[in-house]
Amino acid sequence: MKKQKFYVVWVGVTPGIYRSWTECQLQTKGYAGAKYKSFDTLPEAEAAFASAYADYIRPVSSSHPVRKPDVPVLPPGLEGNALAVDAACSGNPGRMEYRGVHLPSFQQVFHFGPQYGTNNIGEFLAIVHALAWLKQKGLEMPVYSDSRNAIAWVRQKKCKTKLPRDARSEPLFQLIERAEKWLRENDCSTPIRKWETEQWGEIPADFGRK
């Protein structure tokens, strides 16, 4: 089992102590002058956060370089700090689920389902979930989806599904209504971009069920 690490962010979007490299990156990636360091125990991290950054970081020398965490390399030209979302459905309609994955750490940051629905609805809800999640966290980064339909629905603030609304699908339609309401009531400047599968391969949030 991988040993738990604690990440102190002295300077970043929201300074504090974080329990995963993904959360640390969300606070520091692209933030000019970010200052952060990992610790093996929570008491060490708490003591460090209460102290100055300079007390814990020594100047880098060629003989003792700072070891950076190993993270997957993204396709050339792709923005590093972003969210990728995708949905999967066993049958269509069927058992649907979706998730969001942070880039470049490739760590899952949210997941929903399974619930009766369709793949297109899952793709739509995944984008809205990502937008709401970023706003709640106070973060700014683009959202990538490989679904042109879902991107269009989000921009139109309307899920144009043809799934019949009945007793089985009612819980999902209630989620759709909440998502549409959120889109209407929230001004959102987050870029929503198409994941170019032919150029970059499967989107990192893909469930691998093709």
Side-chain angles (χ1 to χ4, degrees):
M1 180 180 293
K2 188 176 181 180
K3 188 176 180 181
Q4 171 73 56
K5 287 279 191 178
F6 300 88
Y7 301 85
V8 174
V9 176
W10 285 276
V11 179
V13 177
T14 304
I17 299 172
Y18 297 89
R19 293 175 180 266
S20 74
W21 172 237
T22 298
E23 287 292 330
C24 179
Q25 280 206 310
L26 289 171
Q27 306 303 321
T28 59
K29 184 75 174 181
Y31 191 100
K35 294 179 173 60
Y36 55 96
K37 180 176 171 59
S38 67
F39 294 87
D40 292 331
T41 68
L42 181 57
E44 287 179 320
E46 290 174 337
F49 187 57
S51 304
Y53 170 76
D55 294 340
Y56 287 86
I57 304 299
R58 296 178 179 178
V60 177
S61 66
S62 58
S63 58
H64 295 89
V66 174
R67 188 177 72 85
K68 297 181 179 180
D70 296 326
V71 295
V73 177
L74 294 173
L78 181 64
E79 268 191 58
N81 208 24
L83 282 184
V85 300
D86 199 21
C89 198
S90 300
N92 205 23
R95 288 167 56 85
M96 177 274 293
E97 60 186 314
Y98 67 76
R99 65 179 174 179
V101 171
H102 173 251
L103 306 178
S105 68
F106 284 46
Q107 295 296 307
Q108 179 175 288
V109 295
F110 64 78
H111 174 269
F112 173 83
Q115 182 167 329
Y116 180 75
T118 69
N119 196 71
N120 279 337
I121 293 175
E123 301 273 12
F124 168 80
L125 292 175
I127 297 174
V128 180
H129 192 144
L131 298 177
W133 186 86
L134 288 171
K135 185 168 185 178
Q136 180 187 40
K137 297 286 186 180
L139 301 172
E140 294 184 5
M141 63 184 74
V143 174
Y144 284 90
S145 169
D146 62 7
S147 172
R148 295 187 187 278
N149 282 340
I151 293 173
W153 290 357
V154 170
R155 288 174 176 165
Q156 295 164 19
K157 303 182 179 182
K158 185 69 175 177
C159 180
K160 297 184 177 181
T161 180
K162 295 181 180 179
L163 180 68
R165 185 166 188 168
D166 53 29
R168 191 176 185 185
S169 64
E170 181 60 26
L172 186 65
F173 273 91
Q174 291 180 14
L175 289 177
I176 291 172
E177 289 176 348
R178 285 172 52 190
E180 292 173 341
K181 184 175 185 290
W182 189 92
L183 290 172
R184 291 193 302 269
E185 295 179 352
N186 289 270
D187 293 329
C188 187
S189 59
T190 301
I192 303 172
R193 297 176 181 166
K194 174 69 170 62
W195 179 271
E196 300 299 341
T197 305
E198 292 186 1
Q199 298 178 37
W200 304 330
E202 293 294 344
I203 192 166
D206 180 68
F207 286 85
R209 297 177 187 167
K210 295 179 177 63

